[in-house]
Amino acid sequence: MVTGVMKCLSCGYETPIDQHTILCPKCGGLLEIIIEPPKDFSLSKLKGRGVWRYKDLIPGYYKSIISINEGNTPLIKSANINKQLYFKFEGLNPTGSFKDRGMTVAVSSAVSLNYKTVIAASTGNTAASAAAYAARAGIKSFIVLPKGKVALGKLAQSVLYGAIILEVDGSFDVAMEAVMRLYRDLKIVYPLNSFNPWRLEGQKTIAFEIMEDIGVPENVIVPVGNAGNIYAIWKGFNELLKIGIIDKVPRMIGVQAEGASPIANAIIKGKNEPDFIENPDTVATAIRIGRPVNWQKAMKAIKESKGTAIVVSDSEILEAQKTLARKEGIGAEPASAAALAGYFKAINYGIIDKDEKTVLILTGHSLKDPESMAKADTKRILVNPLHIEKIIVGEINGFNS
Amino acid sequence: MVTGVMKCLSCGYETPIDQHTILCPKCGGLLEIIIEPPKDFSLSKLKGRGVWRYKDLIPGYYKSIISINEGNTPLIKSANINKQLYFKFEGLNPTGSFKDRGMTVAVSSAVSLNYKTVIAASTGNTAASAAAYAARAGIKSFIVLPKGKVALGKLAQSVLYGAIILEVDGSFDVAMEAVMRLYRDLKIVYPLNSFNPWRLEGQKTIAFEIMEDIGVPENVIVPVGNAGNIYAIWKGFNELLKIGIIDKVPRMIGVQAEGASPIANAIIKGKNEPDFIENPDTVATAIRIGRPVNWQKAMKAIKESKGTAIVVSDSEILEAQKTLARKEGIGAEPASAAALAGYFKAINYGIIDKDEKTVLILTGHSLKDPESMAKADTKRILVNPLHIEKIIVGEINGFNS
């Protein structure tokens, strides 16, 4: 059993690690879970694949583990962009995004604490993942949304997995406040939004898998939305450092989209706190967030790892999405492609040397966002089948010239 | 280097295994690749993950391997349907379907034979996979389609990966004939359609992975469209049997949709050849095929393994898709869900005993077909955020009662 403390990032209150605890019992602030690395931990003792391969480093008591074999995603070596570049393709998790790594831990916690209902205010990847894990656990899931603002098509995964959709009068913030109030006052629904620190205990296994595959890279580039993932990955490396398995932590580099870059702006301007953005806007819907819940955690990870943050435009994101697909054969959603756009910029700015081993976290599959795929330019030719040879030969010659 | 022969399923002509050969040099018929199992093969010597872990059993010479880390998909144990049931989730391949396993072998062959261009007549998973692997190889890909019959949205993946879309006047058969003629006459484009037997050499690794995970199950249930996959998986088990690593082959059970069931109809009626269907129709688009190219291979696999075939209706398929998502947390496209619908039917008919270890091949991800996901019934409630507690408590009580 992993021991340690939970520490509030707002008031500094400390309390022993307890699965019942999600927000600071004193001030309601965000909690960090700081584990005491187990002395007998050894890579050679690890068994199985995916998130629960690392159960010796995941705190909490689990009477039942709700898993859909998440994690164990490929670390794909770049074939055509840069030999020192690797893509951690989180789009190959069961519901198509990295969220599944955190959801297996959070929903297993909910079940182990005897909750029969989970809830999340989300329109996208979090909702899909929450609905899938709740379904597997045989418990009920509610997805809370601002009324009339989200097309049902965007919720197709949650619908298939059987979530109940609650549409509230008001903004997304109103939906999120309802979730927090339900957790604080009612205590019968387990919240799966990003303020739940237990999700990050699953997400940190991204670092463990990278380390087992290629050791410690110089840089890890992560798209930043609600900002939990960059911290989770840094936390994973940091725990390995504390155990003594690795001797350094990679630089954590966060990437945000121009229209939704409160954290990157703060980092770039040297400020200690972000200026929240009221109406965030970007084609990368998975990181279209103006008030990142985990901003304190993300800024800590970036600073302690001597990393930085980068802002990319929507056109850079869509261009990077196309480059990733057409140079590497990897289809990722726009938020993931932001990592590649950020990588190109970091090299141009001299932040990263092209000979440094660098891992990009591709957070979700391109299939998550069919509209963005169809935005790529297409060559489409109408042919008489009898003339197809001529067309093909012409195209090939054009290609080779 | 793996040796063996290529044998024509139509005229019986035999020729040594040669990567240049795709169709029978004598009659143009379909070829089987029959390998001589290497005497020094040993599971303990295998390295790496995915398709190329099994390179000692994959014939051909590869000067370059074009891989996107396909394969190594999870074998998910059923949590709520049946303890003896497992799901091989092929939707977690890089482009979202099992096609990637075959494409890595076929495109690596194309590159090793110095082809600069590949082609496929396909509207769906084959096109997406072909485009991705061609992109990674840095070669050109053409997708041939009947003009005006396929919405561009269905091709979003191929578009993102940069394939050139050729639309021909005529039916899908005309498109396919054009591809075959181009291969036979022109020899400058490498064909990636299902008549290419090299793809099956990659797909057979599904069997190897199942065996490494749980040994040999009693039954393997496979959705059947162009009918190559059920044969490929049987071939994989059969090769392990010949090597002496396993002592039996599972029963191969094919599932087809009511409106596209030429092979299943033939098996059920005890006929040796299918009656092709001119206008196949089913919600499971990935198996909406009336003239399965590999019917001879599929019928051989089913007969030699003492398996059978099952027909399921569209409503059974959609119901199974929902059951899979809501009981197991797995989102699969309708063609994959057909395997579960077939499983339920096989148990009802007494074809399978519920205590027999059975693996269902889930060929593609539900994200491949957003429309089908949105067809599931939804519970959608409009709430005043101040009354959300009351609604939730009511829903929970309803659930528990």
Side-chain angles (χ1 to χ4, degrees):
Chain A
M1 185 90 169
V2 186
T3 57
V5 296
M6 297 176 84
K7 187 174 176 180
C8 178
L9 281 157
S10 297
C11 74
Y13 179 76
E14 279 189 25
T15 177
I17 289 181
D18 178 347
Q19 234 159 332
H20 291 87
T21 309
I22 288 176
L23 290 166
C24 176
K26 211 173 145 199
C27 79
L30 212 60
L31 289 170
E32 243 189 313
I33 301 178
I34 302 162
I35 69 165
E36 195 64 51
K39 290 200 170 59
D40 58 345
F41 181 83
S42 150
L43 285 181
S44 63
K45 278 196 259 170
L46 299 179
K47 277 186 192 141
R49 287 168 285 190
V51 168
W52 295 98
R53 172 175 173 80
Y54 308 101
K55 63 181 186 320
D56 293 350
L57 297 179
I58 299 175
Y61 161 75
Y62 301 93
K63 70 175 182 190
S64 172
I65 283 179
I66 309 304
S67 167
I68 317 176
N69 299 41
E70 53 294 317
N72 188 31
T73 57
L75 186 68
I76 305 172
K77 197 176 196 310
S78 166
N80 297 306
I81 296 175
N82 184 323
K83 277 182 189 167
Q84 293 300 321
L85 183 63
Y86 294 81
F87 306 99
K88 185 66 174 164
F89 195 13
E90 291 294 298
L92 300 189
N93 276 293
T95 75
S97 87
F98 74 97
K99 305 280 182 179
D100 296 340
R101 288 185 190 264
M103 230 40 96
T104 185
V105 173
V107 173
S108 296
S109 289
V111 169
S112 298
L113 298 172
N114 295 317
Y115 280 92
K116 300 263 183 271
T117 314
V118 294
I119 194 164
S122 164
T123 60
N125 294 340
T126 298
S129 185
Y133 282 81
R136 190 158 175 99
I139 62 177
K140 214 163 190 126
S141 66
F142 291 97
I143 304 301
V144 192
L145 297 174
K147 175 180 151 190
K149 300 233 172 90
V150 182
L152 206 60
K154 289 272 167 206
L155 292 170
Q157 278 188 286
S158 306
V159 166
L160 180 63
Y161 295 121
I164 297 172
I165 315 292
L166 295 180
E167 295 185 90
V168 300
D169 289 314
S171 68
F172 197 80
D173 288 342
V174 171
M176 180 68 99
E177 275 160 31
V179 169
M180 289 188 105
R181 206 175 58 240
L182 278 166
Y183 163 66
R184 284 199 187 113
D185 302 347
L186 212 57
K187 293 276 181 201
I188 60 165
V189 288
Y190 186 86
L192 291 172
N193 275 102
S194 293
F195 61 79
N196 183 327
W198 292 90
R199 278 177 44 196
L200 306 184
E201 295 304 302
Q203 289 169 217
K204 74 183 181 187
T205 59
I206 292 175
F208 304 158
E209 290 184 5
I210 292 171
M211 185 272 298
E212 286 208 78
D213 275 347
I214 57 162
V216 182
E218 300 295 318
N219 311 289
V220 175
I221 304 186
V222 191
V224 173
N226 255 320
N229 208 29
I230 190 168
Y231 167 84
I233 297 169
W234 169 77
K235 185 178 198 289
F237 281 112
N238 210 37
E239 288 175 5
L240 296 175
L241 183 74
K242 281 192 199 167
I243 294 170
I245 287 176
I246 60 176
D247 57 8
K248 62 165 185 177
V249 158
R251 284 199 299 169
M252 302 302 301
I253 300 176
V255 181
Q256 293 200 300
E258 219 163 56
S261 52
I263 292 173
N265 287 346
I267 296 281
I268 291 163
K269 291 180 191 161
K271 292 170 72 173
N272 289 324
E273 286 187 23
D275 294 319
F276 291 141
I277 292 165
E278 283 316 313
N279 296 299
D281 185 33
T282 167
V283 67
T285 50
I287 52 170
R288 188 162 63 198
I289 288 160
R291 302 178 158 272
V293 174
N294 290 301
W295 66 267
Q296 292 159 300
K297 291 184 178 179
M299 290 181 76
K300 178 173 178 170
I302 289 171
K303 283 182 186 168
E304 294 212 2
S305 71
K306 300 189 172 51
T308 188
I310 292 169
V311 175
V312 294
S313 69
D314 275 7
S315 64
E316 287 167 333
I317 288 172
L318 289 175
E319 194 58 34
Q321 186 190 27
K322 228 171 63 183
T323 301
L324 190 60
R326 297 185 180 184
K327 291 272 183 195
E328 304 287 351
I330 302 172
E333 67 176 350
S336 307
L340 181 59
Y343 174 73
F344 288 140
K345 225 162 193 170
I347 286 187
N348 279 344
Y349 287 179
I351 294 169
I352 288 180
D353 185 281
K354 66 179 173 41
D355 294 331
E356 288 173 2
K357 196 177 279 188
T358 300
V359 174
L360 310 189
I361 309 299
L362 303 181
T363 46
H365 204 286
S366 64
L367 287 166
K368 284 278 194 171
D369 189 348
E371 279 170 43
S372 76
M373 292 196 286
K375 275 183 189 148
D377 54 296
T378 324
K379 194 156 188 180
R380 209 173 159 191
I381 308 170
L382 297 178
V383 290
N384 179 320
L386 298 174
H387 300 153
I388 194 165
E389 283 93 336
K390 216 159 64 183
I391 302 281
I392 297 238
V393 170
E395 281 294 321
I396 290 171
N397 291 338
F399 182 67
N400 289 335
S401 67
Chain B
M1 186 90 167
V2 185
T3 57
V5 296
M6 297 177 84
K7 186 173 178 182
C8 180
L9 281 157
S10 296
C11 74
Y13 180 76
E14 279 191 25
T15 177
I17 289 181
D18 178 347
Q19 234 159 333
H20 290 88
T21 309
I22 287 175
L23 291 167
C24 175
K26 212 174 146 199
C27 79
L30 213 59
L31 291 170
E32 241 189 315
I33 301 177
I34 301 163
I35 69 165
E36 195 63 53
K39 290 200 173 55
D40 58 346
F41 180 83
S42 150
L43 284 181
S44 62
K45 278 196 256 170
L46 300 179
K47 277 186 191 140
R49 285 168 286 190
V51 168
W52 295 99
R53 171 175 174 80
Y54 307 101
K55 63 182 187 319
D56 293 350
L57 297 178
I58 299 175
Y61 160 74
Y62 301 93
K63 72 174 181 191
S64 172
I65 284 179
I66 309 302
S67 168
I68 319 177
N69 300 41
E70 54 293 318
N72 188 33
T73 56
L75 186 69
I76 305 172
K77 196 175 195 312
S78 166
N80 297 306
I81 296 174
N82 184 323
K83 278 181 188 167
Q84 293 300 322
L85 183 62
Y86 294 81
F87 307 99
K88 184 68 174 162
F89 195 14
E90 290 294 298
L92 300 189
N93 276 293
T95 75
S97 87
F98 75 97
K99 304 282 181 179
D100 295 342
R101 288 184 189 263
M103 230 38 98
T104 185
V105 173
V107 173
S108 297
S109 288
V111 168
S112 299
L113 298 171
N114 296 317
Y115 280 91
K116 301 263 182 272
T117 314
V118 294
I119 195 163
S122 164
T123 60
N125 293 340
T126 297
S129 185
Y133 282 81
R136 190 158 176 99
I139 62 177
K140 214 163 189 127
S141 65
F142 291 96
I143 304 301
V144 192
L145 296 174
K147 175 179 149 189
K149 300 235 172 87
V150 182
L152 206 60
K154 290 271 167 209
L155 291 169
Q157 279 188 286
S158 306
V159 166
L160 180 63
Y161 295 122
I164 297 173
I165 315 293
L166 295 180
E167 295 185 271
V168 300
D169 289 314
S171 68
F172 197 81
D173 288 343
V174 172
M176 180 69 99
E177 276 160 30
V179 168
M180 288 188 105
R181 207 173 58 241
L182 278 166
Y183 163 66
R184 284 198 188 111
D185 303 347
L186 211 57
K187 293 277 183 203
I188 58 165
V189 289
Y190 186 85
L192 291 173
N193 276 102
S194 294
F195 61 79
N196 183 326
W198 292 89
R199 276 177 45 195
L200 306 184
E201 295 304 302
Q203 289 169 217
K204 74 184 181 188
T205 60
I206 292 174
F208 304 158
E209 291 183 4
I210 292 171
M211 185 272 298
E212 286 208 79
D213 275 348
I214 58 161
V216 182
E218 300 296 318
N219 311 290
V220 175
I221 305 188
V222 191
V224 173
N226 254 321
N229 207 30
I230 190 167
Y231 167 84
I233 297 168
W234 169 77
K235 185 179 199 288
F237 280 111
N238 209 38
E239 287 174 7
L240 296 176
L241 183 73
K242 281 193 199 166
I243 294 169
I245 287 177
I246 61 176
D247 58 8
K248 63 166 185 176
V249 159
R251 283 199 300 168
M252 302 302 302
I253 300 176
V255 181
Q256 293 200 300
E258 219 164 54
S261 53
I263 292 173
N265 287 346
I267 296 281
I268 290 162
K269 291 179 190 159
K271 293 171 70 174
N272 289 322
E273 286 188 22
D275 294 319
F276 292 141
I277 292 165
E278 284 317 312
N279 296 300
D281 186 31
T282 165
V283 66
T285 51
I287 53 170
R288 186 162 64 198
I289 289 161
R291 302 178 159 270
V293 175
N294 290 301
W295 67 267
Q296 292 159 299
K297 292 184 178 179
M299 290 182 75
K300 178 173 177 169
I302 289 170
K303 282 181 188 168
E304 295 213 0
S305 71
K306 301 188 171 51
T308 188
I310 292 168
V311 175
V312 294
S313 70
D314 276 8
S315 64
E316 287 168 334
I317 288 173
L318 290 175
E319 194 58 32
Q321 186 190 27
K322 228 171 64 182
T323 301
L324 190 59
R326 297 184 181 185
K327 290 272 184 196
E328 304 288 352
I330 302 172
E333 66 177 351
S336 307
L340 180 60
Y343 173 74
F344 289 139
K345 224 163 195 170
I347 286 187
N348 280 344
Y349 287 179
I351 295 169
I352 288 181
D353 186 281
K354 64 179 175 41
D355 294 330
E356 289 173 1
K357 198 178 276 189
T358 300
V359 174
L360 310 189
I361 309 298
L362 304 181
T363 44
H365 204 286
S366 64
L367 286 167
K368 284 279 194 170
D369 190 347
E371 278 169 44
S372 76
M373 292 195 286
K375 274 182 191 148
D377 55 296
T378 324
K379 193 154 187 182
R380 209 174 158 190
I381 308 169
L382 297 177
V383 289
N384 178 321
L386 298 175
H387 301 154
I388 194 165
E389 282 94 337
K390 215 158 65 182
I391 302 281
I392 296 235
V393 170
E395 281 295 321
I396 291 172
N397 290 338
F399 183 68
N400 289 335
S401 67

